Amino acid sequence: MDKARFYREEIGKALEGALPAPSPQDPQGLVAEAMRYSLLCGGKRVRPVLTLAFCELCGGEPLGALPFACAVEMVHTYSLIHDDMPCMDDDAMRRGRPTNHRVYGEAMALLAGDGLLTMAFETALGFSGDPQAALDGARLLAQCAGAKGMVGGQCIDLQSDGGKMSVELLQAMDKGKTVALIHAACGMGCIAAGAQEGQLLAAGRYAHGLGMAFQLRDDILDVEGSAEKLGKETGMDAARSKQNYVSLLGLEEAKRLVERYTQEAVRALEGFPGDKGFLRDFALGLASREN
Ligand code: GRG
């Protein structure tokens, strides 16, 4: 079995274990059901795979980093649920099925996101290695997910809805919305392995390159991707008059930048002594992803 598939299967099992199906008698069961609906329904698992891979690259036992990997996927899933709600993007489809609020209603979707966000920190703090690493991992996740990271990026997005945007502001938005959580994913893998500061910095450079390329590819797929493969509607940025790299720079330049940022990620791996093949191929694969 290839490594990415092995990692994804282990992540799937660990997520299922962290959030088991509620019993029909459970009075709080509905929120657990709504959380499971979005968390266990697929998704590429890019962020948790990165956590396990960086742990391994830094000489740790990758499956020991599963609490961190699950935590970052829980934060990511909460952000998707909230982002899809009518008060934000009002999307109908996600991960190939109706969005959480279309199934459970707005109030329950809000709670499902809240439940996943808080469960993420409970899960990260359950890391069973060095207790200091558990704290450091949880702190990094909080910093990257919060108002100076992903929430801040979403704030720029909401404020600029429909308006003209500079490339600098777009970059600041994507550093928050997309790069920050990918940074947490890579950094938490290093922390789980007890890596040195220099490796954390190199992981941050990898995350920046991969995250920017990932967002550019997302913008490209919104224009020329297939809704069926993506599991969500396409053309949404244009329909909402939202600026992105393609609208500001054109398709060709956006594709050139995907290459440039991917190479930045690959170069950052030089800071690690171990076998870098998996993380190099992972970055190259995401640069040409179709979903
Ligand atoms: C609501 C606080 C808050 C933040 C929302 C994640 C997000 C921020 C918005 C979703 C829209 C978007 C384009 C975000 C950029 C990051 C991104 C490309 C998310 C989609 O991630 P994938 O492709 O999704 O990894 P899957 O479903 O495969 O996990």
Side-chain angles (χ1 to χ4, degrees), residues 7 50-62 186-203 269 271-276 279:
Y7 282 168
L50 286 168
T51 304
L52 301 191
F54 266 97
C55 180
E56 188 165 10
L57 181 64
C58 294
E61 160 51 47
C186 301
M188 289 168 87
C190 298
I191 290 170
Q196 300 303 309
E197 186 62 25
Q199 295 190 325
L200 261 166
L201 291 173
L269 294 171
F272 297 88
D275 178 359
K276 308 170 249 288
L279 280 162

Side-chain angles (χ1 to χ4, degrees), residues 100-231:
N100 199 290
H101 66 274
R102 295 272 174 130
V103 177
Y104 294 97
E106 279 183 58
M108 200 51 63
L110 188 68
L111 285 185
D114 294 343
L116 285 167
L117 175 59
T118 42
M119 182 177 272
F121 289 95
E122 182 188 352
T123 306
L125 290 167
F127 174 72
S128 62
D130 177 7
Q132 186 59 47
L135 294 178
D136 291 344
R139 183 184 299 109
L140 179 62
L141 182 59
Q143 287 165 343
C144 292
K148 292 209 156 107
M150 185 180 70
V151 167
Q154 184 75 348
C155 168
I156 298 177
D157 186 341
L158 293 177
Q159 281 180 304
S160 51
D161 244 8
K164 193 106 190 89
M165 235 181 166
S166 65
V167 176
E168 290 72 27
L169 192 59
L170 187 62
Q171 276 172 343
M173 179 179 92
D174 292 336
K175 268 188 170 181
K177 271 178 68 175
T178 311
V179 174
L181 209 53
I182 289 177
H183 184 135
C186 301
M188 289 168 87
C190 298
I191 290 170
Q196 300 303 309
E197 186 62 25
Q199 295 190 325
L200 261 166
L201 291 173
R205 289 196 294 277
Y206 178 90
H208 181 263
L210 182 127
M212 291 302 288
F214 191 80
Q215 182 57 54
L216 277 147
R217 186 74 194 146
D218 212 65
D219 292 349
I220 293 166
L221 288 171
D222 192 51
V223 174
E224 58 175 27
S226 129
E228 199 186 327
K229 284 188 190 156
L230 286 165

Side-chain angles (χ1 to χ4, degrees), residues 43-44 47 76 78-80 82-83 88 94-95 150-151 154 177-178 214-215 218:
K44 297 182 288 299
R47 296 151 192 83
H76 170 58
Y78 119 75
S79 79
L80 298 179
H82 284 189
D83 184 65
M88 297 215 189
R94 170 73 69 182
R95 292 180 165 174
M150 185 180 70
V151 167
Q154 184 75 348
K177 271 178 68 175
T178 311
F214 191 80
Q215 182 57 54
D218 212 65

Side-chain angles (χ1 to χ4, degrees), residues 83-92 101-102 233 236 240:
D83 184 65
D84 289 337
M85 288 179 65
C87 59
M88 297 215 189
D89 275 359
D90 197 8
D91 274 311
H101 66 274
R102 295 272 174 130
E233 291 159 283
M236 295 313 283
R240 296 185 181 114

